Every structure is written in C-alpha cells, then in structure tokens.
Amino acid sequence: MERKTIGIGKWCDNHIGLLFIIPALIILFGLSLYPILFNVNMSLHKVNMINFRSGDWDFVGLKNYAKIFTDPLFLQSFLRTLLFMILTVVGQLLLGMVGALTLNTPLKGKGPLTITVLLPMMMTPIAVGLFWRMLLNNQWGIINYFLNVVGIDSIPWLADSRWAFISICSVQIWWGVSFVILVLLGGLTALSPEPFEAAEIDGATKFQSFRYITLPSLAPVISVVVMLRAIDAFREFDLIYTLTQGGPGASTRVLSLQVYLTSFESQQYSLGSAQAMVLTVITLVLASGMIKNINQE
C-alpha cells in the first residue's frame, strides 16, 4: 500500500501542470464547448417548440444549412451585416486616427478631453441604444429639435429604412471610436521620436511623415484594431435591437438579429441553430485571421 501511495505521489509530481489546468478545462467545457456541441447537434435535427422538450428529434443532416443558404432573408441579412461591418470599421478607423493624432499633440486641457472622448467606451450597448433612441426620436428627439431650430425639417431617423440603417451605423461608430482612439493613441505614444526628427530635418512635411513613418509603424496595431472592431460589428446584436429591433421592415436586420428572430420568434430552433453556427464560423475565421496576423508580427 505504501509503495502504491508513493507511486501516485510521484505521478502527481510529474503531472502537476495537468492537475492545475483540469478544473479550468472542466469549466471551459461546461461553459463553451458543451453549448457549441449541443447547438451543432440541434442544427442537424428538426427541432421546434413541440418536440424540443421530448428530445424526439428527427435527423435531417445538412438540410437546415442548405435551407438557410437559399433563404432570401438570411442572405439579405448576411449582406447587410457585411455592409454594416465595413462602414462602421472604416468610420471608426478614420475618426479614431484623427482623434488619436489630435490627442497625441500638446493641448491645453488634454486630460479632461481624453476622458470625454473615452466616455462612450464605458457605456454598455443597451445603454447606448436607449440613449440614442431617445435622441433620434422623430417627434421629441433633441436632434430633430435642433434641426428645426435652424430651419431643417425633422428626419425620420429610425422610422425610414434608409435613415434607420444610417443611424445604426452612426451610433456604432460613435460607440466604438473611443476604443480605436485609445489603442491607436497607445501605439502613437510608443513610437520613437528619432525618425520623425530626422524626417523634419530632411524637409519632410507632416503628411509625408504620417504616410511614410507613422502608418507603417502603426500597421500591426491598426490590423489588430480592425479585426477586433470587425468581429464586434459582425456579431452586433443588443445595440441594434435596442434601437430598431431590426426595423422598419427588415432594413436593419443583421445576421445576429436574424438568428434571434428565427429561433425565438419563429421558434424554428434547428434552423436558428444552423444560422448561429454559420455566424460562429465566420467569427472564428475573423478571429483566426487576427491571431495569425499577431503571430506574424
């Protein structure tokens, strides 16, 4: 018995690292892997409100996936999500670069200005959505009030399909640009001043220094920011749901909202699971691209 105890103790000493990570692996499986596997299993069966609790699910294979790729609503929401992602990421990057360059210069009151610029990042998406929903209200929103003061007619920000999509893109840019500013500002402050001093001595303009020194030096930081914001924009749900709930019509129904409506309003659980898996795979592709880029740098 004593020899067996000594053997177990020696095994524990040799595998101490494994013993420490086993609890984390169990939690990871319970919180992440099991729901994903359950969702995959559901997407391969025909599941609805009637047979969900009984577990008597008919196996249909990849029919749910074939159905969603021929569903015009899903395809439209997918293209709308891509457009939303491109517009918001580009807008956040451009405004974030301008803001970071401005805050990187010596300014009076730079501290309070920086705090003010970073305030949106501290707000939750639900709070942001409710806040802007009141501001953009067609009847008593303060934005239309000031437009009327200067002689401009009220704009149906959330009631018209075209303006509603512009509104959700603008709010997403407003909310995410502070994060971009913070990251780019950190990258700018970490740059060595010697190349800029040498370029100034050689007669380079500020735009030339920005183009040939700042941008190449910030390329790794910019790529990480773009990928992070792209992932957030592609799976955005709560901000858009709070603002428009996907309306008017389906003009702001992005992919995450389509998954929600299919699963919980139409109660087509298996079809919604298949849509969720497509969303998950695309997000993983974006995340793997970011990780690959970081490793190369």
Side-chain angles (χ1 to χ4, degrees), residues 241-264:
Y241 184 81
T242 308
L243 275 172
T244 63
Q245 295 184 353
S251 58
T252 60
R253 186 182 297 180
V254 293
L255 195 55
S256 56
L257 269 172
Q258 182 64 39
V259 173
Y260 170 80
L261 294 174
T262 302
S263 301
F264 298 103

PDB file of all heavy atoms in Angstrom, residues 241-264:
ATOM      1  N   TYR A 241     -30.781  45.935 -31.691  1.00  0.00           N
ATOM      2  CA  TYR A 241     -32.089  45.502 -31.216  1.00  0.00           C
ATOM      3  C   TYR A 241     -32.739  46.590 -30.372  1.00  0.00           C
ATOM      4  O   TYR A 241     -33.949  46.824 -30.458  1.00  0.00           O
ATOM      5  CB  TYR A 241     -31.956  44.210 -30.412  1.00  0.00           C
ATOM      6  CG  TYR A 241     -33.283  43.638 -29.964  1.00  0.00           C
ATOM      7  CD1 TYR A 241     -34.061  42.883 -30.843  1.00  0.00           C
ATOM      8  CD2 TYR A 241     -33.759  43.857 -28.671  1.00  0.00           C
ATOM      9  CE1 TYR A 241     -35.284  42.368 -30.446  1.00  0.00           C
ATOM     10  CE2 TYR A 241     -34.976  43.341 -28.267  1.00  0.00           C
ATOM     11  CZ  TYR A 241     -35.735  42.599 -29.158  1.00  0.00           C
ATOM     12  OH  TYR A 241     -36.956  42.092 -28.764  1.00  0.00           O
ATOM     13  N   THR A 242     -31.953  47.256 -29.547  1.00  0.00           N
ATOM     14  CA  THR A 242     -32.497  48.324 -28.716  1.00  0.00           C
ATOM     15  C   THR A 242     -32.928  49.519 -29.550  1.00  0.00           C
ATOM     16  O   THR A 242     -33.946  50.157 -29.259  1.00  0.00           O
ATOM     17  CB  THR A 242     -31.447  48.779 -27.681  1.00  0.00           C
ATOM     18  OG1 THR A 242     -30.959  47.643 -26.972  1.00  0.00           O
ATOM     19  CG2 THR A 242     -32.050  49.760 -26.693  1.00  0.00           C
ATOM     20  N   LEU A 243     -32.186  49.810 -30.612  1.00  0.00           N
ATOM     21  CA  LEU A 243     -32.506  50.965 -31.446  1.00  0.00           C
ATOM     22  C   LEU A 243     -33.718  50.721 -32.345  1.00  0.00           C
ATOM     23  O   LEU A 243     -34.653  51.529 -32.374  1.00  0.00           O
ATOM     24  CB  LEU A 243     -31.295  51.327 -32.314  1.00  0.00           C
ATOM     25  CG  LEU A 243     -30.227  52.226 -31.699  1.00  0.00           C
ATOM     26  CD1 LEU A 243     -29.018  52.314 -32.619  1.00  0.00           C
ATOM     27  CD2 LEU A 243     -30.779  53.624 -31.435  1.00  0.00           C
ATOM     28  N   THR A 244     -33.702  49.630 -33.100  1.00  0.00           N
ATOM     29  CA  THR A 244     -34.709  49.455 -34.150  1.00  0.00           C
ATOM     30  C   THR A 244     -35.410  48.103 -34.123  1.00  0.00           C
ATOM     31  O   THR A 244     -36.390  47.925 -34.849  1.00  0.00           O
ATOM     32  CB  THR A 244     -34.050  49.604 -35.528  1.00  0.00           C
ATOM     33  OG1 THR A 244     -33.085  48.558 -35.707  1.00  0.00           O
ATOM     34  CG2 THR A 244     -33.360  50.951 -35.659  1.00  0.00           C
ATOM     35  N   GLN A 245     -34.877  47.134 -33.361  1.00  0.00           N
ATOM     36  CA  GLN A 245     -35.394  45.758 -33.373  1.00  0.00           C
ATOM     37  C   GLN A 245     -35.407  45.169 -34.787  1.00  0.00           C
ATOM     38  O   GLN A 245     -36.242  44.336 -35.115  1.00  0.00           O
ATOM     39  CB  GLN A 245     -36.788  45.700 -32.753  1.00  0.00           C
ATOM     40  CG  GLN A 245     -36.806  46.064 -31.275  1.00  0.00           C
ATOM     41  CD  GLN A 245     -38.173  45.903 -30.651  1.00  0.00           C
ATOM     42  OE1 GLN A 245     -39.163  45.641 -31.333  1.00  0.00           O
ATOM     43  NE2 GLN A 245     -38.254  46.067 -29.346  1.00  0.00           N
ATOM     44  N   GLY A 246     -34.480  45.627 -35.617  1.00  0.00           N
ATOM     45  CA  GLY A 246     -34.374  45.117 -36.970  1.00  0.00           C
ATOM     46  C   GLY A 246     -35.219  45.849 -37.988  1.00  0.00           C
ATOM     47  O   GLY A 246     -35.132  45.567 -39.189  1.00  0.00           O
ATOM     48  N   GLY A 247     -36.034  46.783 -37.562  1.00  0.00           N
ATOM     49  CA  GLY A 247     -36.927  47.504 -38.463  1.00  0.00           C
ATOM     50  C   GLY A 247     -36.357  48.847 -38.885  1.00  0.00           C
ATOM     51  O   GLY A 247     -35.218  49.172 -38.564  1.00  0.00           O
ATOM     52  N   PRO A 248     -37.179  49.623 -39.613  1.00  0.00           N
ATOM     53  CA  PRO A 248     -38.524  49.267 -40.113  1.00  0.00           C
ATOM     54  C   PRO A 248     -38.453  48.205 -41.204  1.00  0.00           C
ATOM     55  O   PRO A 248     -37.537  48.208 -42.021  1.00  0.00           O
ATOM     56  CB  PRO A 248     -39.046  50.594 -40.666  1.00  0.00           C
ATOM     57  CG  PRO A 248     -37.816  51.390 -40.981  1.00  0.00           C
ATOM     58  CD  PRO A 248     -36.770  50.984 -39.993  1.00  0.00           C
ATOM     59  N   GLY A 249     -39.405  47.319 -41.188  1.00  0.00           N
ATOM     60  CA  GLY A 249     -39.345  46.163 -42.073  1.00  0.00           C
ATOM     61  C   GLY A 249     -38.193  45.272 -41.658  1.00  0.00           C
ATOM     62  O   GLY A 249     -38.126  44.807 -40.531  1.00  0.00           O
ATOM     63  N   ALA A 250     -37.276  45.040 -42.591  1.00  0.00           N
ATOM     64  CA  ALA A 250     -36.072  44.269 -42.298  1.00  0.00           C
ATOM     65  C   ALA A 250     -34.831  45.074 -42.656  1.00  0.00           C
ATOM     66  O   ALA A 250     -33.765  44.508 -42.883  1.00  0.00           O
ATOM     67  CB  ALA A 250     -36.081  42.951 -43.049  1.00  0.00           C
ATOM     68  N   SER A 251     -34.955  46.406 -42.668  1.00  0.00           N
ATOM     69  CA  SER A 251     -33.879  47.263 -43.171  1.00  0.00           C
ATOM     70  C   SER A 251     -32.643  47.255 -42.284  1.00  0.00           C
ATOM     71  O   SER A 251     -31.547  47.542 -42.757  1.00  0.00           O
ATOM     72  CB  SER A 251     -34.381  48.697 -43.332  1.00  0.00           C
ATOM     73  OG  SER A 251     -34.866  49.198 -42.094  1.00  0.00           O
ATOM     74  N   THR A 252     -32.791  46.950 -41.004  1.00  0.00           N
ATOM     75  CA  THR A 252     -31.633  46.901 -40.099  1.00  0.00           C
ATOM     76  C   THR A 252     -31.478  45.516 -39.472  1.00  0.00           C
ATOM     77  O   THR A 252     -30.851  45.381 -38.419  1.00  0.00           O
ATOM     78  CB  THR A 252     -31.767  47.958 -38.985  1.00  0.00           C
ATOM     79  OG1 THR A 252     -32.970  47.708 -38.234  1.00  0.00           O
ATOM     80  CG2 THR A 252     -31.818  49.357 -39.556  1.00  0.00           C
ATOM     81  N   ARG A 253     -32.038  44.509 -40.117  1.00  0.00           N
ATOM     82  CA  ARG A 253     -31.952  43.144 -39.584  1.00  0.00           C
ATOM     83  C   ARG A 253     -30.613  42.534 -39.988  1.00  0.00           C
ATOM     84  O   ARG A 253     -30.454  42.024 -41.093  1.00  0.00           O
ATOM     85  CB  ARG A 253     -33.100  42.289 -40.092  1.00  0.00           C
ATOM     86  CG  ARG A 253     -33.163  40.902 -39.455  1.00  0.00           C
ATOM     87  CD  ARG A 253     -34.282  40.075 -40.033  1.00  0.00           C
ATOM     88  NE  ARG A 253     -35.590  40.658 -39.764  1.00  0.00           N
ATOM     89  CZ  ARG A 253     -36.739  40.110 -40.168  1.00  0.00           C
ATOM     90  NH1 ARG A 253     -36.722  38.971 -40.856  1.00  0.00           N
ATOM     91  NH2 ARG A 253     -37.884  40.690 -39.894  1.00  0.00           N
ATOM     92  N   VAL A 254     -29.661  42.580 -39.088  1.00  0.00           N
ATOM     93  CA  VAL A 254     -28.351  41.986 -39.344  1.00  0.00           C
ATOM     94  C   VAL A 254     -28.398  40.503 -38.987  1.00  0.00           C
ATOM     95  O   VAL A 254     -29.420  39.980 -38.534  1.00  0.00           O
ATOM     96  CB  VAL A 254     -27.253  42.716 -38.542  1.00  0.00           C
ATOM     97  CG1 VAL A 254     -27.080  44.141 -39.038  1.00  0.00           C
ATOM     98  CG2 VAL A 254     -27.568  42.705 -37.056  1.00  0.00           C
ATOM     99  N   LEU A 255     -27.278  39.818 -39.181  1.00  0.00           N
ATOM    100  CA  LEU A 255     -27.263  38.364 -39.063  1.00  0.00           C
ATOM    101  C   LEU A 255     -27.611  37.889 -37.657  1.00  0.00           C
ATOM    102  O   LEU A 255     -28.361  36.930 -37.480  1.00  0.00           O
ATOM    103  CB  LEU A 255     -25.889  37.834 -39.471  1.00  0.00           C
ATOM    104  CG  LEU A 255     -25.783  36.334 -39.740  1.00  0.00           C
ATOM    105  CD1 LEU A 255     -26.799  35.899 -40.779  1.00  0.00           C
ATOM    106  CD2 LEU A 255     -24.381  35.982 -40.207  1.00  0.00           C
ATOM    107  N   SER A 256     -27.084  38.542 -36.639  1.00  0.00           N
ATOM    108  CA  SER A 256     -27.374  38.130 -35.270  1.00  0.00           C
ATOM    109  C   SER A 256     -28.854  38.306 -34.940  1.00  0.00           C
ATOM    110  O   SER A 256     -29.452  37.488 -34.232  1.00  0.00           O
ATOM    111  CB  SER A 256     -26.520  38.926 -34.287  1.00  0.00           C
ATOM    112  OG  SER A 256     -26.722  40.321 -34.463  1.00  0.00           O
ATOM    113  N   LEU A 257     -29.466  39.371 -35.458  1.00  0.00           N
ATOM    114  CA  LEU A 257     -30.895  39.573 -35.251  1.00  0.00           C
ATOM    115  C   LEU A 257     -31.713  38.525 -36.003  1.00  0.00           C
ATOM    116  O   LEU A 257     -32.746  38.056 -35.506  1.00  0.00           O
ATOM    117  CB  LEU A 257     -31.292  40.972 -35.725  1.00  0.00           C
ATOM    118  CG  LEU A 257     -31.247  42.086 -34.684  1.00  0.00           C
ATOM    119  CD1 LEU A 257     -31.476  43.432 -35.345  1.00  0.00           C
ATOM    120  CD2 LEU A 257     -32.270  41.857 -33.594  1.00  0.00           C
ATOM    121  N   GLN A 258     -31.249  38.143 -37.182  1.00  0.00           N
ATOM    122  CA  GLN A 258     -31.937  37.102 -37.943  1.00  0.00           C
ATOM    123  C   GLN A 258     -31.931  35.772 -37.195  1.00  0.00           C
ATOM    124  O   GLN A 258     -32.923  35.047 -37.170  1.00  0.00           O
ATOM    125  CB  GLN A 258     -31.275  36.944 -39.313  1.00  0.00           C
ATOM    126  CG  GLN A 258     -31.942  35.927 -40.222  1.00  0.00           C
ATOM    127  CD  GLN A 258     -33.361  36.312 -40.591  1.00  0.00           C
ATOM    128  OE1 GLN A 258     -33.653  37.489 -40.824  1.00  0.00           O
ATOM    129  NE2 GLN A 258     -34.249  35.331 -40.645  1.00  0.00           N
ATOM    130  N   VAL A 259     -30.803  35.462 -36.561  1.00  0.00           N
ATOM    131  CA  VAL A 259     -30.709  34.244 -35.756  1.00  0.00           C
ATOM    132  C   VAL A 259     -31.705  34.299 -34.601  1.00  0.00           C
ATOM    133  O   VAL A 259     -32.414  33.322 -34.314  1.00  0.00           O
ATOM    134  CB  VAL A 259     -29.281  34.053 -35.226  1.00  0.00           C
ATOM    135  CG1 VAL A 259     -29.212  32.885 -34.255  1.00  0.00           C
ATOM    136  CG2 VAL A 259     -28.312  33.833 -36.382  1.00  0.00           C
ATOM    137  N   TYR A 260     -31.777  35.430 -33.934  1.00  0.00           N
ATOM    138  CA  TYR A 260     -32.692  35.589 -32.797  1.00  0.00           C
ATOM    139  C   TYR A 260     -34.151  35.454 -33.232  1.00  0.00           C
ATOM    140  O   TYR A 260     -34.940  34.737 -32.591  1.00  0.00           O
ATOM    141  CB  TYR A 260     -32.460  36.955 -32.152  1.00  0.00           C
ATOM    142  CG  TYR A 260     -33.493  37.330 -31.117  1.00  0.00           C
ATOM    143  CD1 TYR A 260     -33.431  36.820 -29.831  1.00  0.00           C
ATOM    144  CD2 TYR A 260     -34.546  38.191 -31.444  1.00  0.00           C
ATOM    145  CE1 TYR A 260     -34.389  37.151 -28.882  1.00  0.00           C
ATOM    146  CE2 TYR A 260     -35.501  38.529 -30.507  1.00  0.00           C
ATOM    147  CZ  TYR A 260     -35.428  38.008 -29.234  1.00  0.00           C
ATOM    148  OH  TYR A 260     -36.378  38.334 -28.303  1.00  0.00           O
ATOM    149  N   LEU A 261     -34.517  36.120 -34.318  1.00  0.00           N
ATOM    150  CA  LEU A 261     -35.907  36.082 -34.772  1.00  0.00           C
ATOM    151  C   LEU A 261     -36.298  34.685 -35.236  1.00  0.00           C
ATOM    152  O   LEU A 261     -37.413  34.226 -34.974  1.00  0.00           O
ATOM    153  CB  LEU A 261     -36.097  37.095 -35.900  1.00  0.00           C
ATOM    154  CG  LEU A 261     -35.940  38.571 -35.508  1.00  0.00           C
ATOM    155  CD1 LEU A 261     -36.015  39.460 -36.742  1.00  0.00           C
ATOM    156  CD2 LEU A 261     -37.001  38.975 -34.494  1.00  0.00           C
ATOM    157  N   THR A 262     -35.386  34.011 -35.924  1.00  0.00           N
ATOM    158  CA  THR A 262     -35.682  32.653 -36.384  1.00  0.00           C
ATOM    159  C   THR A 262     -35.861  31.697 -35.209  1.00  0.00           C
ATOM    160  O   THR A 262     -36.762  30.857 -35.205  1.00  0.00           O
ATOM    161  CB  THR A 262     -34.557  32.142 -37.303  1.00  0.00           C
ATOM    162  OG1 THR A 262     -34.407  33.034 -38.411  1.00  0.00           O
ATOM    163  CG2 THR A 262     -34.853  30.746 -37.811  1.00  0.00           C
ATOM    164  N   SER A 263     -35.007  31.827 -34.208  1.00  0.00           N
ATOM    165  CA  SER A 263     -35.008  30.881 -33.092  1.00  0.00           C
ATOM    166  C   SER A 263     -36.141  31.135 -32.111  1.00  0.00           C
ATOM    167  O   SER A 263     -36.829  30.200 -31.696  1.00  0.00           O
ATOM    168  CB  SER A 263     -33.667  30.940 -32.363  1.00  0.00           C
ATOM    169  OG  SER A 263     -32.603  30.639 -33.236  1.00  0.00           O
ATOM    170  N   PHE A 264     -36.364  32.401 -31.748  1.00  0.00           N
ATOM    171  CA  PHE A 264     -37.248  32.677 -30.617  1.00  0.00           C
ATOM    172  C   PHE A 264     -38.593  33.274 -31.011  1.00  0.00           C
ATOM    173  O   PHE A 264     -39.546  33.148 -30.249  1.00  0.00           O
ATOM    174  CB  PHE A 264     -36.547  33.609 -29.629  1.00  0.00           C
ATOM    175  CG  PHE A 264     -35.305  33.004 -29.043  1.00  0.00           C
ATOM    176  CD1 PHE A 264     -34.045  33.393 -29.481  1.00  0.00           C
ATOM    177  CD2 PHE A 264     -35.386  32.029 -28.066  1.00  0.00           C
ATOM    178  CE1 PHE A 264     -32.899  32.824 -28.945  1.00  0.00           C
ATOM    179  CE2 PHE A 264     -34.253  31.455 -27.532  1.00  0.00           C
ATOM    180  CZ  PHE A 264     -32.999  31.849 -27.977  1.00  0.00           C
TER     181      PHE A 264
END
